[in-house]
Amino acid sequence: QTWSIIWSKKPKAPNAMVLHEGSWVMVGEHPRPGRMRKLVTNMSECLLDLGASATEEEIEAWACLIFESMSAPSRTFHSVQHVFDISVDADSIQTLSAFFHDVIYYGIDGGLSQEQSKILHGVISVHNGEDVFLNYIDTDSDRVLSMCMTLFGFKPGQMLDPFHGLNEFLSAAVALRCLEGTLDLHQLAKIATCIEATIPFRGAENGKTATEALHERLKDANTLYGLNLGEEEMVLCIQRAVDLANRDVENFSTPDHSHFLSNTWNLLPESNVNLRFTKDFRISDYLLALKKTTGFFDNLDPETIFLSFQDKPSLDELSEMTENARANINISQKYMHCKLLSISVLSALAEETGGDAPIAMFMGDLPEQGCAPQSIEDYLPAPSINHDLTVDEKVFRLLKDGRERTSTFDLKHSPLAAFLYGLIGDEGLERSLKYLMTPLEGAGFKKLLGSLPKVVVGQIASACAEIAATRAKKLNRIVQEYSL
């Protein structure tokens, strides 16, 4: 139907636009292939390049598996588009690896889908509903999966850690089980190696970097499974894997802090289920999500983000990427601290006036097309910097003007956080954050509010009273209390 509209002989106005697969395209302009079509086409081209072939039914099944796995409601960043983003100008091994590398997100997706379970039959056992253990794999009867375990350094009976390879190993196992009748064993090894390298944020262990350890395991697999790879080819294999892994975290090296934060915000609903319900999450839900993300940035070592092996990428290139990542992390830490403080203040006001509530009760609804509902910023003074204090102007602008893109659950800009940070500066931020190191309970709410200038608490409570009709009387009593 869409094609007949676009290519109809019926005349249309110049530059007329029509909707095709969720995107607007100009009449006469060839529609862009959909993601399913791209998966099928690209996989076919990769197999041809590797000297292999598969039936249309097989390629369709693999493309459907990838598409359905990465189109789950839980996927707000690690989506189908992500695999296309990281495989631009990639070689065929990298492209196939990219397509499969995130098919499993065990915790985020709530376990395995029916099709994933079918493919991974016999690979894992689940204890207590959540602990995932590797089953015993007979090397003679399943050389492909045994080789995959060797490349990952995993052992039968081992509990798989979601932060140290569970998702990547199972994704690699899916890839290899799908492709094992199509590609040669050494090609499957290269794909498993690429996917293993995407396990993120690993420092050196036992005096070896993650890539050096992977190189050693590839040499072991080469001997054990007769891959017939020479040393030069194994080095290239690791370097290829490094390149894909660095593409996977390339967002960290962008010089555009706004772009980086936009992608960070897309990750929040993946690990915070309640944020996927964009209209009804509560203040406590958002506060928990911000605490988790703030903790991630506070503990992230930029030296562990990007990989290198035998000068690929070069030391200078690696240093530039790492320093860009360091800058993004530093900016994000302070940005997250400001957001965390602002929502903690809302939480304190909510608890002091009746308890937790939907965040919209205190801040207003998110804007919708053709509708601009009342918002907390309508009742706060415009954010400005107190020049008597130390304020990071980059962070302030990000809060005031907003991230690069909107998200489904939050405004681009942060009016309350910008208002707060501009008035209290770095010193006030650090002072108030001390009260967030432990759970806010009872007197903790009062202490947090007491760490802020009284006039600021009064202004925020007054703004909330304009929106939270059922809490207005109690909020106005707080306004009076903090105006004394």
Side-chain angles (χ1 to χ4, degrees):
Q1 182 180 359
T2 304
W3 278 81
S4 65
I5 292 172
I6 295 173
W7 297 106
S8 167
K9 293 181 180 179
K10 182 179 178 181
K12 290 189 178 290
N15 301 323
M17 304 293 287
V18 295
L19 189 65
H20 174 73
E21 294 191 353
S23 299
W24 288 97
V25 297
M26 189 175 296
V27 172
E29 177 184 326
H30 199 291
R32 291 177 298 173
R35 293 187 175 96
M36 267 294 296
R37 175 65 180 267
K38 285 180 69 177
L39 285 170
V40 168
T41 301
N42 291 1
M43 291 179 79
S44 300
E45 291 173 348
C46 288
L47 294 177
L48 183 64
D49 180 56
L50 295 171
S53 63
T55 65
E56 288 186 341
E57 290 78 12
E58 288 173 324
I59 294 175
E60 177 185 300
W62 303 334
C64 286
L65 171 69
I66 295 165
F67 185 87
E68 290 170 351
S69 297
M70 304 191 72
S71 299
S74 51
R75 303 299 190 98
T76 53
F77 179 82
H78 295 99
S79 61
V80 181
Q81 186 57 45
H82 174 62
V83 305
F84 294 127
D85 290 341
I86 70 170
S87 58
V88 174
D89 297 327
D91 69 23
S92 295
I93 290 290
Q94 287 176 317
T95 299
L96 291 174
S97 303
F99 284 3
F100 280 98
H101 85 289
D102 277 337
V103 291
I104 304 296
Y105 250 84
Y106 193 88
I108 286 172
D109 292 339
L112 301 178
S113 69
Q114 185 175 355
E115 184 62 23
Q116 291 168 351
S117 296
K118 180 180 175 182
I119 294 170
L120 292 173
H121 177 72
V123 177
I124 58 172
S125 297
V126 181
H127 298 179
N128 303 319
E130 58 182 28
D131 296 333
V132 181
F133 289 82
L134 261 179
N135 290 336
Y136 172 78
I137 303 296
D138 182 67
T139 303
D140 294 330
S141 62
D142 197 339
R143 287 171 57 78
V144 169
L145 196 58
S146 295
M147 178 188 69
C148 190
M149 291 174 63
T150 298
L151 288 167
F152 275 75
F154 289 171
K155 304 292 183 185
Q158 174 179 340
M159 187 170 81
L160 299 181
D161 186 333
F163 300 106
H164 295 91
L166 181 152
N167 297 313
E168 291 81 5
F169 175 78
L170 294 182
S171 295
V174 167
L176 269 55
R177 283 203 158 172
C178 286
L179 299 171
E180 66 177 303
T182 301
L183 296 178
D184 293 335
L185 192 60
H186 74 275
Q187 294 170 323
L188 296 175
K190 292 174 182 178
I191 289 173
T193 299
C194 279
I195 296 176
E196 196 281 346
T198 65
I199 302 173
F201 315 130
R202 292 179 288 178
E205 288 187 13
N206 301 318
K208 293 180 181 178
T209 66
T211 53
E212 289 168 343
L214 180 56
H215 180 230
E216 290 295 320
R217 293 196 297 273
L218 177 58
K219 289 196 291 186
D220 291 341
N222 190 45
T223 301
L224 288 170
Y225 302 98
L227 303 180
N228 296 319
L229 300 175
E231 175 59 22
E232 183 177 350
E233 190 172 3
M234 285 191 285
V235 168
L236 291 174
C237 182
I238 301 297
Q239 290 175 337
R240 175 194 288 115
V242 164
D243 180 58
L244 181 64
N246 287 345
R247 289 166 179 259
D248 198 27
V249 292
E250 188 175 25
N251 176 54
F252 277 93
S253 68
T254 177
D256 185 342
H257 305 310
S258 175
H259 176 78
F260 175 74
L261 281 167
S262 287
N263 284 333
T264 298
W265 240 245
N266 284 339
L267 282 165
L268 261 64
E270 288 198 346
S271 53
N272 297 277
V273 174
N274 290 330
L275 298 192
R276 300 172 197 166
F277 306 103
T278 60
K279 300 298 181 185
D280 61 358
F281 63 86
R282 301 174 80 81
I283 296 172
S284 59
D285 296 328
Y286 196 23
L287 188 59
L288 177 61
L290 291 174
K291 283 184 175 180
K292 287 160 66 175
T293 307
T294 301
F296 168 73
F297 281 119
D298 286 347
N299 293 288
L300 180 58
D301 180 358
E303 299 288 340
T304 66
I305 296 173
F306 295 104
L307 305 178
S308 181
F309 186 71
Q310 295 194 11
D311 204 39
K312 295 290 183 180
S314 70
L315 186 60
D316 288 343
E317 291 170 320
L318 182 65
S319 177
E320 181 181 357
M321 292 189 295
T322 301
E323 289 311 305
N324 283 342
R326 194 185 309 278
N328 277 319
I329 291 169
N330 289 340
I331 288 284
S332 297
Q333 280 179 306
K334 189 165 291 185
Y335 179 92
M336 293 302 303
H337 289 159
C338 292
K339 294 279 288 188
L340 180 60
L341 176 60
S342 67
I343 302 303
S344 296
V345 170
L346 277 192
S347 180
L349 292 175
E351 293 295 337
E352 290 290 299
T353 59
D356 192 24
I359 197 165
M361 178 184 284
F362 281 76
M363 293 195 70
D365 293 340
L366 291 174
E368 298 178 358
Q369 188 172 6
C371 175
Q374 68 175 165
S375 166
I376 193 170
E377 67 180 310
D378 297 330
Y379 307 102
L380 286 173
S384 60
I385 292 177
N386 181 346
H387 291 287
D388 293 332
L389 302 172
T390 301
V391 174
D392 188 319
E393 294 195 19
K394 288 183 180 178
V395 173
F396 178 78
R397 284 199 303 272
L398 284 166
L399 293 167
K400 180 176 179 292
D401 300 333
R403 302 179 299 275
E404 180 185 65
R405 298 187 303 277
T406 57
S407 68
T408 57
F409 63 93
D410 193 16
L411 298 168
K412 279 203 318 182
H413 65 304
S414 306
L416 178 56
F419 170 72
L420 257 177
Y421 181 52
L423 288 178
I424 67 175
D426 288 342
E427 184 180 346
L429 179 64
E430 186 175 346
R431 181 173 59 248
S432 294
L433 286 175
K434 292 177 183 177
Y435 295 96
L436 306 183
M437 296 300 103
T438 56
L440 285 173
E441 295 176 353
F445 296 113
K446 284 280 190 184
K447 290 180 180 179
L448 172 63
L449 296 177
S451 71
L452 296 166
K454 284 189 172 184
V455 65
V456 172
V457 176
Q459 286 174 313
I460 295 173
S462 177
C464 290
E466 296 290 336
I467 301 172
T470 56
R471 307 280 184 101
K473 289 182 181 179
K474 292 179 179 178
L475 284 165
N476 282 323
R477 283 200 286 270
I478 291 176
V479 174
Q480 293 174 357
E481 177 184 348
Y482 282 83
S483 64
L484 300 176

